[in-house]
Amino acid sequence: MYERKILPNLNCGLDLIGEVLYGKWKIRLLWFINQGHQRPSELQRKIPDASRRVLNIQLKELEDHDLVTKKIYPVVPPKVEYSLTEFGQTLIPVLSALGQWGDKNEEHLRSVILKRLDLESQ
């Protein structure tokens, strides 16, 4: 398993939020869990580009940061559901604002991202 070599800088709110949300799929996981997609298989269908392993790692990190809870039902086969904690629910308005900003600036963001990808492929 990955072991961090450099301790994180936790001196301001941006550092803290970056540490908690760093990960390609975490924001989407939080959003989809909030929308009611709670089972790992549902989340996998909503984010098909992510491997099950990576989703499990990022869900575990979200759980460690007290943003989601994991409930395991004592049935065979095992049933697992994720839900937002009260603390995790406080992040939804922030994610919504980020999404609105992205929608508002979609054309510009898409063009600079594609431009960068073109430069990297040369």
Side-chain angles (χ1 to χ4, degrees):
M1 179 166 252
Y2 172 77
E3 188 173 322
R4 179 175 283 196
K5 293 175 179 65
I6 299 173
L7 292 176
N9 183 356
L10 304 176
N11 295 326
C12 75
L14 289 175
D15 292 334
L16 293 166
I17 195 76
E19 183 64 27
V20 170
L21 292 181
Y22 178 74
K24 187 170 185 175
W25 310 111
K26 285 184 182 178
I27 290 174
R28 292 178 75 187
L29 285 167
L30 289 167
W31 190 258
F32 290 137
I33 290 169
N34 183 59
Q35 289 184 325
H37 304 283
Q38 300 173 325
R39 309 236 5 236
S41 58
E42 293 173 323
L43 295 168
Q44 180 74 57
R45 281 193 293 277
K46 295 297 282 182
I47 311 173
D49 293 340
S51 71
R52 176 64 71 105
R53 179 183 173 276
V54 170
L55 288 181
N56 285 338
I57 289 169
Q58 293 195 357
L59 284 163
K60 174 69 171 119
E61 290 172 358
L62 291 171
E63 190 179 0
D64 291 345
H65 288 122
D66 194 32
L67 295 172
V68 300
T69 58
K70 177 181 180 179
K71 181 169 184 175
I72 302 171
Y73 292 91
V75 295
V76 177
K79 177 182 173 184
V80 174
E81 288 185 347
Y82 289 92
S83 59
L84 293 180
T85 62
E86 190 174 319
F87 181 57
Q89 290 171 0
T90 65
L91 196 50
I92 296 304
V94 177
L95 299 182
S96 180
L98 282 172
Q100 290 171 6
W101 181 85
D103 290 342
K104 180 181 172 189
N105 296 286
E106 179 180 358
E107 188 175 313
H108 179 74
L109 292 169
R110 189 180 313 280
S111 72
V112 296
I113 291 167
L114 291 174
K115 184 178 180 181
R116 182 165 187 237
L117 290 173
D118 285 343
L119 290 174
E120 288 176 0
S121 66
Q122 293 179 4

